[in-house]
Structures are given as structure tokens and as C-alpha cells.
Amino acid sequence: MSERPPRNKPAANRRDALKSLSLGALMFGGASTAQAAQNDCKAVVAPEWAKGVEGQRKPDLGNGYFLNPLVAGDHPDPTILKDGEDYYMTFSTFEAYPGLVIWHSRDLVNWRPLTASLTKNIGAVWAPELTKHKGRFYLYIPTKKTDAPDSKTTSWVIWADNIMGPWSEPIDLNLTRHIDPGHAVGEDGSRWLFLSGGDRIRLSDDGLSTVGAVEHVYDPWRYPDDWDVEGFSPEGPKITRHGDYYYLITAVGGTAGPPTGHMVIAARSKSINGPWEHHPKNPLVRTESLSEKWWSRGHATLVEGPAGDWWSVYHGYENGFWTLGRQTLLAPVTWTNDGWFEFGGGDLSQPIKKPAGGKAHGHEPAHGYALSDDFREDRYGVQWNFFAPKPDEASRIRRENGVLHLKATGEAPSSSSPLVCVTGDQAYEFECEIEIDDGAWAGLLLWYDRQLYCGLGFNAKNFITHQYGIERGRPANPHGKRLHMRVRNDRHIVSYFTSNDGVNWKRFDRGMEVSGYHHNVRGGFHMLKPGFYAAGKGEVRFKNFKYKAL
């Protein structure tokens, strides 16, 4: 187990949390419920996280410890690669394009985005695999065409000789019945993709095509029938070779649904060809109580730390904040004398000692990046993404003298792909100066998908509110074709503000509550993202996008 720092902080915070929990319990469940809440309080109250650029939360506490999430906000299905002193990581990006942003670290705690590796829309990107073989980088990418009549599933490969690219065009591997490819190299040098359901297929020596047919090689460990899960769903296989064994880590139980469903199991074999022996302590990771800080924890990968110790990255939903999507978590791993490994960190609600031997990676800020954008530099693909863009969608954007010009398309946000970005904060606000052409309308959004979003828009005459993905006409717009707009999302309570000058603000007479804008309501595995849109005719000009964590 990892070391914990002295608990020198949260007495006042804990008392406030107890008071809040007790009051809520008395209102909704009586004194016995209040007592139960007090009994569970230690499990749900965590120390405050560190604040980085713009007040965004970051993992490094600055005292030799870190606090999860490792990468806040929607960064699910992490795939991590150790390449000498460098670590690279990317995540599922679903309908966001450009996608598969590569992140870099040298200490496993502080991470910065580098570049988007996937620019061509090949479908909703699920659980990729980043690997390096004989000096070349590969990304194996499962996708699902959610807008196709047959919802086609397949997997692709792209490659690059430099992590910064250029990355190749996607090559279809025609794996129509499987997801989540995990790359492995056998003891004889053969290359394989392990797939969902305990299957695998051989790769050609260059890793760009498959050889032969899919074969079933592993029957995953099965949980008791009375556990609350979403479904068996063996997926996310990851292979690590360590010592005399290959270790196969798999997720089962479903990635969402009941918070106790998703889990991590493992097996090992002395050959890439099996047979596979179940870990005697399966499941190695599982949310066991609704009072835990992190729900639906799973989809793990092992990685060696800078000083030779071992760690794992996986994902989980934050208790009370499904809207932030699945966030990346970091946990210590300990190898045992019998050749197995165990996960440490508990439910990851408390600080953990940082991996030893890490170095600064030379980026500023040390972790994350500013979301405020004056539009003088091109952040398309690293910060800004279109949702399910058309092949020529990028041609809608033009930047000039600190102004982002966006061509208006469609009749509503749902038919005009918005530009959105990921945030990991529980409470935040963002604002922008917006100017529209005649015939255009635009605004700021909190976007889940084409059927579920909210926000405030305007044209030259009226305001429009977006509620539950429905457009509603509102009172006259006194600002005309140019105004400043602000959206505040304070732990799911959404309010809007407008201004002529960006100094004197007036609150708009409509608000929202958006805690239900998440996967278990709508599906899709997304998060609620801040962004903006331009619909109608002509163009819309955006200036000085400002973000601030609250």
C-alpha cells in the first residue's frame, strides 16, 4: 500500500460536510438516515485538490503527494506508453474530432497535451491502444459508426515514426465483432491483438493487417450472480510482460450502469498462447459502496514508474458528477512474492505519495492547459473539437487578429456541429464576446450530444434558450448583433448572463439544472462540455473566450 500524508486539514470541511449531509438526511430520510450519512462521511469527504491554471484542479499537491483524478474530466479508457524517460497517454474521444490527443509526462502525475493524432472522422472512437514496436508508434482504434444504419463496428490502425506525427491515414482491420484491441508481442516475436470477449487475432509483422481468423483463448473470471452490474462485457484487454509471465488485465461488469458494476480482473500465463490462470484475488479493483468517491472503476493498464516501481491507470466516474464523464485515475501496484500483483490506494479519495524518480517535463503550466483562448494561436484539435464533424467541417474556421470566424450552418446546434472542449471542474464559468451577421444566430452551450444540450443563443432580434436539446424563443434581444455572454455551471446549477461591455452583467431570466445530462440517462459515453455554435446564414465572430474554475 502507498504512504499517506498526515491528516492535518479537513476538520472544518468535515464538520461542514456532516452538517450538510445530516440536514439533507433529516429532510428526506429521517434521523436514522442522518446517522447513516454521518457513519459514511469518512468515505466521501476528500481533501481539497490543488488548483492550477485558471483555478482548474490538478493532481499534484506540491508536497510530494497527489490526489486523483490524474486527468480530470472526460478522459476514459486510458492507454499509456513508457518510452524511455517519457510517458505518453491518450483516451477514448468518441465523436470529438480531431481526436486521440496525445498527452506527455515524465513523472506520471503532471501531464500536458501535445497533439491530436486522428483527424479523419472514422466513427465514435472507443478504448484505443497506444504502443511502440521497433521504433514505430502505433494506435489501434476501435470505432462504431453511430450514424450508420448498421452501426458498423471495426478497428483501425494508424502509425507514426514520431509521436508528434505526422500520423498515417487510418487502415481498416475489419474486426467487425470486437472492440478494445490490446497489442502484445509473443515470446517468439509474433504480434497479436487481444480483443473483447477473451479473443485474439494475429497481426502481420508490420502491425498493419491481420493474419488468419479470430480465436477464443481466454474465459474471463466471473463475478457472483448477485452482484449489481451492468453486464458481463469482458473488454479492454491489456497485456503486460513482467518476469516469467504475461499478465492479461480485463474489465468486466459493464462500464457504466450500477456504480458497483465495472471492475478489474487479471490472469497470467508463461506463454502468449496460454493457458491463462485467474488471479486468486479477483476482482482487483471494484467500487463496493455508493459512498465511495469514485464509481464504476475499471479498464486498467499497468505501467512501470520512473524509479522502477509499478502503477496503474484506469478510469472512474466521480460520485455526484456523472456529467464530467469517466476521469483518469492513478493507483500504486505492488508485486507479490508469488508473482502476482495487487492494487493499492483504496477508493482513491485520499492523497497518495507520488511516484519516485520523476522529472519535470519542461512544459508550462506543469499540468493541463489554460482553457481561456484569445484565438491568436491555433488550438483546434488540442483544445477545441467539433462534435461528429463532416469531412470539410474544419473549413468553417478562420482565425484573424484575435478573432475566430465561424461559418454558420444548420438551423440549430443539433444540425450545426458546435466547437466544444473538456473541463474537469465541478463548478466553472465561461464567457465570450460574440458578433453575428444578419441571418445568423449563435451562443454558448453545455453540450452532451445532438439530443441533449442546454445554453443561451441569440439573433439580431431575440434570445433563444436551449433546454433539453429543444430551442425556445425568448424575449427581445436589446444588444443587437453583438454582445458578451457568460454561462455559469455551479455544480449542475446553470445560469446565464449578458453584457454590452463585458464589465456590467445582467442575469438572464432562465436557469437550468443539468445533473441528469450523462450516459446513464442518454447513452453515448460523453460528458457535458462547454462550447459555442453558429447556425443560420453568414458567419459569427467569437472573441476572448474566458474560462474560470469557481
Side-chain angles (χ1 to χ4, degrees):
M1 298 293 289
S2 65
E3 298 181 39
R4 302 284 193 192
R7 301 187 69 178
N8 57 4
K9 185 165 187 115
N13 292 348
R14 195 173 295 279
R15 283 195 298 270
D16 291 343
L18 281 168
K19 184 188 296 182
S20 175
L21 283 167
S22 299
L23 178 61
L26 287 169
M27 291 173 63
F28 299 107
S32 60
T33 307
Q35 183 61 50
Q38 292 188 29
N39 292 340
D40 283 344
C41 186
K42 290 183 179 180
V44 297
V45 177
E48 292 183 7
W49 54 80
K51 294 181 179 180
V53 60
E54 301 169 330
Q56 298 178 51
R57 58 176 169 175
K58 65 177 184 178
D60 196 334
L61 298 177
N63 60 357
Y65 291 80
F66 72 93
L67 179 64
N68 280 296
L70 180 67
V71 187
D74 192 38
H75 297 92
D77 305 316
T79 173
I80 189 168
L81 169 66
K82 184 179 190 298
D83 184 28
E85 295 183 339
D86 296 295
Y87 294 89
Y88 301 108
M89 187 161 57
T90 191
F91 318 90
S92 297
T93 46
F94 303 103
E95 276 89 357
Y97 278 89
L100 290 179
V101 175
I102 306 292
W103 290 61
H104 174 248
S105 175
R106 284 193 168 177
D107 66 358
L108 280 181
V109 171
N110 293 287
W111 292 85
R112 284 272 292 165
L114 297 179
T115 186
S117 60
L118 183 64
T119 57
K120 183 178 180 179
N121 188 344
I122 54 175
V125 172
W126 296 358
E129 170 81 325
L130 175 63
T131 190
K132 188 178 184 182
H133 185 70
K134 294 185 177 180
R136 175 167 286 180
F137 297 94
Y138 297 84
L139 265 165
Y140 293 94
I141 310 165
T143 64
K144 187 169 186 176
K145 284 281 190 180
T146 55
D147 58 348
D150 58 353
S151 296
K152 180 185 176 183
T153 298
T154 189
S155 286
W156 310 73
V157 59
I158 60 176
W159 59 269
D161 291 323
N162 186 303
I163 196 69
M164 293 296 294
W167 287 83
S168 73
E169 285 289 303
I171 301 169
D172 191 348
L173 297 176
N174 294 309
L175 294 171
T176 58
R177 297 180 180 271
H178 295 83
I179 57 173
D180 300 4
H183 182 265
V185 179
E187 58 269 35
D188 60 355
S190 57
R191 299 180 68 178
W192 301 86
L193 287 182
F194 280 70
L195 306 166
S196 55
D199 296 347
R200 73 172 186 177
I201 191 167
R202 187 161 180 171
L203 286 171
S204 59
D205 290 343
D206 64 5
L208 302 181
S209 61
T210 60
V211 177
V214 172
E215 57 181 345
H216 185 72
V217 294
Y218 168 59
D219 292 317
W221 176 87
R222 184 95 187 202
Y223 47 78
D225 289 341
D226 60 352
W227 284 12
D228 288 322
V229 301
E230 186 181 39
F232 186 40
S233 305
E235 57 192 6
K238 301 292 185 182
I239 299 284
T240 298
R241 191 172 188 180
H242 181 69
D244 296 331
Y245 289 94
Y246 289 91
Y247 294 87
L248 171 57
I249 302 175
T250 307
V252 294
T255 194
T260 55
H262 207 30
M263 63 194 85
V264 176
I265 64 171
R268 71 181 183 186
S269 171
K270 289 191 174 181
S271 170
I272 198 67
N273 302 310
W276 296 95
E277 169 193 8
H278 294 314
H279 197 301
K281 293 187 177 180
N282 280 333
L284 302 177
V285 175
R286 178 180 179 243
T287 303
E288 297 182 1
S289 168
L290 301 187
S291 66
E292 291 184 29
K293 172 70 172 175
W294 294 100
W295 288 359
S296 301
R297 293 184 292 144
H299 201 98
T301 302
L302 299 185
V303 63
E304 185 178 5
D309 53 352
W310 282 79
W311 296 80
S312 176
V313 292
Y314 54 89
H315 64 211
Y317 284 107
E318 189 169 5
N319 190 333
F321 287 89
W322 299 85
T323 52
L324 289 176
R326 291 166 295 166
Q327 306 180 57
T328 297
L329 309 172
L330 178 67
V333 169
T334 302
W335 293 95
T336 57
N337 292 332
D338 57 359
W340 286 109
F341 58 89
E342 297 178 355
F343 284 72
D347 71 356
L348 308 187
S349 64
Q350 299 295 322
I352 298 172
K353 192 170 185 179
K354 288 173 59 177
K359 300 179 180 179
H361 53 30
H363 300 300
E364 289 295 336
H367 180 81
Y369 58 99
L371 294 178
S372 296
D373 190 357
D374 62 9
F375 300 122
R376 294 187 180 278
E377 296 181 359
D378 187 3
R379 298 192 188 179
Y380 179 61
V382 174
Q383 175 178 347
W384 298 109
N385 314 92
F386 280 116
F387 181 88
K390 298 175 182 177
D392 62 346
E393 204 80 56
S395 65
R396 294 177 58 203
I397 300 175
R398 178 171 59 89
R399 288 182 300 104
E400 186 176 315
N401 299 323
V403 178
L404 186 145
H405 300 250
L406 185 61
K407 182 181 178 181
T409 61
E411 299 178 351
S414 58
S415 56
S416 174
S417 292
L419 275 170
V420 293
C421 61
V422 173
T423 177
D425 295 307
Q426 297 175 349
Y428 57 88
E429 63 184 27
F430 59 100
E431 64 187 63
C432 197
E433 180 181 346
I434 308 172
E435 183 180 31
I436 61 175
D437 283 349
D438 287 329
W441 52 302
L444 302 183
L445 296 170
L446 291 169
W447 178 268
Y448 186 83
D449 67 8
R450 296 192 191 281
Q451 283 73 41
L452 191 60
Y453 55 92
C454 72
L456 179 64
F458 72 102
N459 58 29
K461 296 181 178 180
N462 295 95
F463 285 111
I464 304 99
T465 56
H466 309 290
Q467 299 173 261
Y468 327 107
I470 300 172
E471 280 59 55
R472 298 177 183 270
R474 292 300 177 194
N477 165 25
H479 303 280
K481 295 189 291 184
R482 175 186 166 277
L483 58 75
H484 296 255
M485 184 178 294
R486 174 185 292 166
V487 175
R488 178 179 295 158
N489 180 0
D490 190 352
R491 294 167 179 83
H492 300 136
I493 305 301
V494 177
S495 51
Y496 310 112
F497 304 82
T498 62
S499 170
N500 284 324
D501 56 10
V503 177
N504 301 293
W505 293 88
K506 182 179 180 181
R507 187 177 183 125
F508 190 78
D509 186 26
R510 281 293 183 274
M512 292 284 294
E513 198 283 335
V514 294
S515 60
Y517 283 45
H518 61 76
H519 172 82
N520 278 357
V521 171
R522 171 65 194 144
F525 300 106
H526 305 305
M527 72 162 285
L528 196 59
K529 298 179 180 180
F532 51 86
Y533 75 95
K537 299 179 180 179
E539 74 166 23
V540 178
R541 291 163 290 284
F542 297 88
K543 189 176 182 180
N544 289 327
F545 182 89
K546 298 178 182 179
Y547 176 92
K548 180 176 67 174
L550 302 178

